[in-house]
């Protein structure tokens, strides 16, 4: 994790770097720092805490520097202290380095370097990079020194380096952590992701693993780790700056919850023919044969994306004629699953940078399987490591707790399920049509649901001081119960557990008493009576029941303390609709508890370490 940014140009670097760091803060926010090249001096400021605290420390600092680096950290090696904050330096040559990732074999290098007289001041793995560069740097060729320093290092990294002896250069490199270059007029940038640079430029070049770049104000040059020059055309990024800002909402998360009608509509757009029921996904053409021959389908992902995969399994199973398994990418990778050229692995990831998901994909491809990625961030590593990519078009998601990316993933997975079924002849377009018609009503129905926000906020007011919650769902709403519990725990720090409603009596029922709130999801689309019985079981133990349902009946009213009504739809749309009030509920509870909603403690948006 961690966010990094580098700049070389004509503007004052200090303000620009702090601005970019604020946008990168979702990647880690336990400490922050910047380095500025001021003539022959290297100015360094770093401290534990958020970027705002760093900015405060620097408020009196006047700097003409037009070259510099910035870093916001999510600690792995060494606690979040001032000295462990980046940039790290070699004072001898005035070299500063920022790093996102982990250097796995740093210890022997650290010992060796200390032995040779290098003074280490941090507990991080990253500091070795600065000292190793110093060993190879003759004061003229920084790029070459970085290239040589990186040769023996193992692990994942994106780094940026400046040195006062090469005062008009920033050198960057990547192996396993994201890095994008921004091209401007007489200025150039590097950063961990696109939104950090959007207010400066939309012309970007994605660096691949095993590549370095030399940035000067008037040019950017790319090289591989052997030192060979590479050429790559820049891309125009369509995301606009406004979507990456809060637009009057108190938090990004709230704004992103409200953007779900658009996120779903954009993801569905131009990908179907409503008149025939045909699904049109030209981006998957390269995979047609593999899709047709697949004997086994794995869905792999982490976090919220994993719950999207789990939902797809429930939805697809009724018409798929091959087995489907859903696995956490971190487990899949090491559990030695049987994989061959007839296995289709579908990797789901908002960022496309999650280390565990990338690891699973690499393993799958190495063993002959084909990989289809569902990704939100354009040009992300996962898209380049997969055989084909189906983009969700949710736009930039900044809040650490995923919301609009999830509903967009559900929409993309619904389309993909129909697409695969049509390709295989399991469903004809005509048979798909009714489901498709219901799916495209999604954005309007989400819009309707969002109007219930004040009702849900009132409910949050009643419950925000509780310390425990249960979420129950069954069949296609089981993953949504898990997601509801995840949202609540992530941002409010309330202990919340999601369970399959049928599992209630095998353990969690022991937790029910008159204090315990249970959120139960019940849809007319599936096992309505069964879930109703599960509510009775909670009620019989005097539990507090909040029912979320698309079918209110007298019985439901009798056993529920509170009811949130969802518009009626179909199996295809119900998961998307049911998750919206759960997101709003978690959001308002967290807001009432005064937590840092967009940057909850200990979490990061994109987990680029294993
Ligand atoms: C982190 C985020 C989650 C996200 C998960 C997977 O844990 O906090 O919100 O669901 O990573 O991220 P991805 O980018 O692969 O979807």
């Amino acid at each position: 994790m961690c966010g990094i940014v580098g700049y070389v140009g004509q503007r004052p670097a200090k303000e620009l770097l702090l601005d970019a760091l604020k946008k990168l803060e979702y990647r880690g926010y336990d400490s922050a720092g910047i380095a500025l090249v001021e003539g022959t001096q290297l100015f360094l400021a770093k401290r534990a805490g958020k970027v705002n605290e760093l900015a405060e420390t620097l408020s009196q600092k006047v700097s003409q520097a037009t070259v510099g680096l910035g870093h916001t950290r999510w600690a792995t090696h060494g606690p979040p202290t001032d000295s462990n904050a980046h940039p790290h330096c070699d004072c001898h040559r005035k070299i500063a380095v920022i790093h996102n990732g982990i250097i796995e074999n740093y210890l022997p290098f650290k010992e060796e370097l200390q032995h040779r007289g290098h003074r280490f001041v941090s507990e991080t793995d990253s500091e070795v990079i600065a000292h190793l560069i110093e060993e190879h740097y003759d004061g003229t060729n920084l790029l070459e020194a970085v290239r040589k320093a990186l040769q023996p290092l193992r692990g994942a990294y994106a780094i940026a380096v400046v040195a006062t002896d090469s005062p008009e250069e920033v050198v960057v490199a990547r192996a396993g952590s994201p890095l994008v270059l921004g091209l401007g007029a007489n200025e150039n940038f590097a950063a961990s992701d696109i939104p950090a640079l959007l207010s400066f430029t939309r012309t970007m070049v994605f660096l691949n693993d095993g590549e370095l770049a030399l940035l000067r104000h008037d040019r950017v040059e790319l090289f591989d780790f052997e030192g060979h020059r590479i050429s790559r055309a820049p891309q125009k990024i369509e995301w606009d700056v406004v979507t990456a800002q809060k637009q009057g909402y108190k938090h990004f998360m709230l704004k992103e919850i409200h953007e779900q009608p658009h996120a779903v509509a954009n993801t569905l757009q131009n990908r179907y023919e409503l008149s025939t029921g045909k699904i049109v996904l030209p981006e998957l053409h390269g995979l047609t044969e593999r899709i047709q021959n697949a004997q086994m389908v794995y869905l792999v992902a982490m976090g919220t994306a994993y719950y999207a995969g789990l939902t797809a399994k429930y939805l697809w199973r009724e018409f798929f004629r091959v087995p489907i398994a859903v696995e956490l990418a971190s487990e899949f990778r090491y559990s030695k699953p049987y994989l061959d050229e007839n296995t289709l692995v579908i990797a789901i990831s908002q960022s496309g940078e999650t280390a565990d998901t990338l690891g699973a994909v690499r393993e799958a491809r190495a063993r002959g399987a084909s990989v289809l990625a569902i990704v939100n961030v354009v040009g992300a590593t996962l898209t380049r490591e997969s055989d084909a990519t189906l983009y969700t078009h949710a736009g930039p998601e900044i809040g650490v707790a995923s919301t609009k990316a999830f509903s967009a993933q559900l929409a993309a997975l619904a389309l993909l399920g129909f697409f695969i079924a049509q390709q295989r002849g399991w469903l004809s377009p005509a048979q798909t049509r009714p489901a498709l018609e219901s799916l495209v009503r999604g954005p309007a129905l989400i819009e309707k649901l969002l109007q219930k926000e004040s009702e849900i906020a009132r409910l949050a007011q009643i419950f925000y001081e509780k310390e425990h919650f249960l979420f129950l769902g069954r069949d296609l709403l089981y993953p949504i119960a898990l997601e509801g519990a995840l949202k609540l725990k992530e941002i409010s720090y309330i202990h919340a557990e999601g369970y399959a409603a049928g599992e209630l009596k095998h353990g969690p029922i022991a937790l029910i008493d008159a204090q315990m709130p249970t959120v139960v999801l019940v849809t007319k689309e599936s096992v309505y009576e069964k879930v109703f019985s599960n509510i009775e079981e909670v009620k019989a133990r005097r539990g507090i029941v909040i029912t979320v349902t698309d079918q209110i009946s007298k019985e439901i009213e009798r056993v529920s303390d509170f009811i949130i009504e969802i518009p009626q739809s179909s199996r295809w749309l119900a998961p998307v609709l049911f998750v919206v009030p759960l997101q709003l509920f978690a959001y308002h509870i967290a807001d009432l508890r005064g937590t840092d909603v967009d940057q909850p403690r200990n979490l990061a948006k994109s987990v680029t370490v294993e």
Side-chain angles (χ1 to χ4, degrees):
M1 337 240 258
C2 303
I4 70 173
V5 55
Y7 175 71
V8 47
Q10 323 265 301
R11 313 188 213 191
K14 187 192 95 175
E15 285 72 23
L16 187 148
L17 292 170
L18 287 170
D19 178 81
L21 281 183
K22 283 182 194 146
K23 295 183 186 124
L24 286 168
E25 222 176 359
Y26 72 88
R27 300 178 62 84
Y29 32 82
D30 59 42
S31 42
I34 62 168
L36 301 170
V37 179
E38 297 183 315
T40 57
Q41 295 307 308
L42 185 65
F43 172 82
L44 212 69
K46 51 188 202 162
R47 55 168 295 174
K50 297 202 164 187
V51 174
N52 269 339
E53 294 166 57
L54 175 73
E56 231 164 78
T57 314
L58 287 170
S59 57
Q60 303 303 319
K61 160 84 184 159
V62 180
S63 173
Q64 303 309 319
T66 58
V67 178
L69 308 176
H71 187 272
T72 177
R73 181 169 186 245
W74 187 86
T76 58
H77 293 56
T81 58
D82 292 356
S83 56
N84 287 333
H86 297 219
H88 292 289
C89 278
D90 183 288
C91 302
H92 180 58
R93 275 285 188 190
K94 297 191 193 144
I95 297 166
V97 174
I98 50 174
H99 168 216
N100 163 210
I102 292 179
I103 303 298
E104 286 162 4
N105 59 341
Y106 79 103
L107 257 183
F109 289 103
K110 182 170 180 174
E111 282 159 14
E112 230 178 81
L113 286 158
Q114 279 173 323
H115 196 65
R116 288 208 289 274
H118 288 269
R119 207 169 84 50
F120 279 73
V121 294
S122 79
E123 299 153 87
T124 66
D125 52 334
S126 316
E127 194 180 347
V128 293
I129 307 172
H131 296 292
L132 273 175
I133 294 171
E134 192 276 337
E135 296 237 319
H136 294 285
Y137 186 42
D138 59 4
T140 60
N141 196 339
L142 184 61
L143 177 86
E144 192 55 13
V146 173
R147 193 182 74 78
K148 285 189 177 143
L150 293 178
Q151 299 292 323
L153 297 181
R154 276 202 321 272
Y157 53 81
I159 63 162
V161 186
V162 290
T164 54
D165 284 342
S166 305
E168 293 182 353
E169 294 178 356
V170 173
V171 174
V172 299
R174 87 162 261 183
S177 301
L179 199 59
V180 55
L181 311 179
L183 313 187
N186 257 324
E187 56 182 357
N188 289 302
F189 313 78
S192 299
D193 75 11
I194 300 167
L197 302 182
L198 275 181
S199 50
F200 310 120
T201 178
R202 300 239 201 115
T203 310
M204 303 204 187
V205 171
F206 296 98
L207 213 59
N208 289 332
D209 285 341
E211 292 178 356
L212 298 119
L214 173 64
L215 279 68
R216 297 174 200 254
H217 72 91
D218 56 350
R219 64 177 190 272
V220 168
E221 295 167 278
L222 269 60
F223 302 88
D224 65 18
F225 276 14
E226 275 71 55
H228 305 121
R229 198 176 281 274
I230 302 168
S231 68
R232 180 162 308 135
Q235 292 184 31
K236 274 265 177 256
I237 301 299
E238 301 301 336
W239 292 0
D240 57 28
V241 188
V242 181
T243 20
Q245 290 167 354
K246 276 194 216 155
Q247 292 172 313
Y249 285 96
K250 188 169 176 190
H251 294 100
F252 278 112
M253 181 182 176
L254 187 60
K255 171 182 164 251
E256 288 158 6
I257 291 173
H258 281 267
E259 282 171 347
Q260 291 182 107
H262 275 108
V264 170
N266 288 345
T267 301
L268 296 176
Q269 202 176 26
N270 298 330
R271 286 174 158 168
Y272 58 85
E273 290 169 8
L274 207 50
S275 55
T276 60
K278 190 168 177 230
I279 307 298
V280 191
L281 299 175
E283 55 273 67
L284 304 187
H285 276 167
L287 263 186
T288 309
E289 206 178 311
R290 304 296 288 262
I291 287 175
Q292 270 159 3
N293 294 334
Q295 294 303 315
M296 171 81 204
V297 175
Y298 280 103
L299 293 142
V300 297
M302 298 302 289
T304 291
Y306 169 72
Y307 295 146
L310 203 54
T311 313
K313 180 183 84 174
Y314 281 101
L315 294 175
W316 292 0
R317 257 207 312 220
E318 70 178 66
F319 54 82
F320 266 46
R321 298 287 164 262
V322 296
I324 310 166
V326 189
E327 302 212 9
L328 287 165
S330 57
E331 293 295 313
F332 175 81
R333 204 179 156 182
Y334 298 108
S335 64
K336 305 191 174 60
Y338 177 75
L339 297 164
D340 63 17
E341 61 284 0
N342 293 326
T343 312
L344 176 65
V345 173
I346 298 169
I348 311 159
S349 174
Q350 187 285 129
S351 62
E353 302 293 348
T354 300
D356 287 314
T357 309
L358 287 170
V361 159
R362 286 172 189 145
E363 176 72 17
R365 286 185 99 195
R367 289 170 50 199
S370 34
V371 174
L372 192 167
I374 298 185
V375 177
N376 193 43
V377 174
V378 181
T381 309
L382 184 57
T383 67
R384 278 171 281 134
E385 302 234 358
S386 303
D387 298 294
T389 301
L390 180 64
Y391 277 110
T392 48
H393 296 300
E397 191 180 65
I398 309 291
V400 165
S402 188
T403 53
K404 64 173 178 172
F406 180 67
S407 38
Q409 282 160 355
L410 292 179
L413 283 160
L415 285 180
L416 181 61
F418 299 147
F419 179 78
I420 295 175
Q422 291 185 2
Q423 295 277 309
R424 298 289 292 250
W426 298 328
L427 279 183
S428 67
Q431 286 168 312
T432 316
R433 221 177 109 192
L436 198 56
E437 278 169 351
S438 107
L439 197 62
V440 301
R441 281 198 292 273
L445 292 179
I446 302 172
E447 201 75 73
K448 208 165 146 194
L449 255 177
L450 288 168
Q451 287 162 13
K452 285 181 180 280
E453 181 169 0
S454 50
E455 182 190 321
I456 294 161
R458 279 198 296 281
L459 209 57
Q461 189 79 46
I462 300 170
F463 285 102
Y464 78 99
E465 285 171 320
K466 291 281 180 193
E467 287 307 327
H468 306 277
F469 264 88
L470 268 182
F471 286 73
L472 303 180
R474 203 159 175 159
D475 189 39
L476 59 144
L477 292 186
Y478 165 49
I480 303 305
L482 296 175
E483 173 62 5
L486 177 66
K487 284 292 87 81
L488 187 63
K489 74 182 108 174
E490 273 183 312
I491 59 170
S492 73
Y493 316 144
I494 291 174
H495 168 226
E497 293 195 50
Y499 267 96
E503 178 73 354
L504 176 73
K505 47 190 151 323
H506 299 283
I509 200 162
L511 298 170
I512 307 273
D513 62 16
Q515 302 310 314
M516 182 72 160
T518 301
V519 178
V520 193
L521 314 181
V522 203
T523 172
K524 67 170 180 44
E525 294 301 324
S526 174
V527 286
Y528 184 84
E529 276 87 25
K530 301 269 179 220
V531 183
F532 178 72
S533 310
N534 300 135
I535 304 180
E536 292 269 27
E537 290 157 12
V538 175
K539 212 54 229 166
R541 277 125 194 121
R542 306 199 339 274
I544 308 164
V545 176
I546 305 163
T547 304
V548 185
T549 184
D550 53 10
Q551 177 107 311
I552 298 185
S553 64
K554 285 236 151 24
E555 292 76 43
I556 290 269
E557 277 174 336
R558 178 174 55 78
V559 293
S560 308
D561 297 283
F562 302 91
I563 297 178
I564 301 172
E565 194 179 359
I566 303 289
Q568 296 208 343
S569 59
S570 68
R571 279 180 73 78
W572 295 95
L573 203 52
V576 184
L577 298 182
F578 273 74
V579 81
V580 174
L582 304 187
Q583 296 165 341
L584 284 169
F585 188 57
Y587 170 78
H588 283 286
I589 286 190
D591 190 36
L592 286 163
R593 286 168 78 101
T595 59
D596 192 341
V597 172
D598 283 334
Q599 295 173 348
R601 70 182 180 205
N602 306 338
L603 297 178
K605 180 87 189 141
S606 165
V607 182
T608 56
V609 292
E610 264 194 67

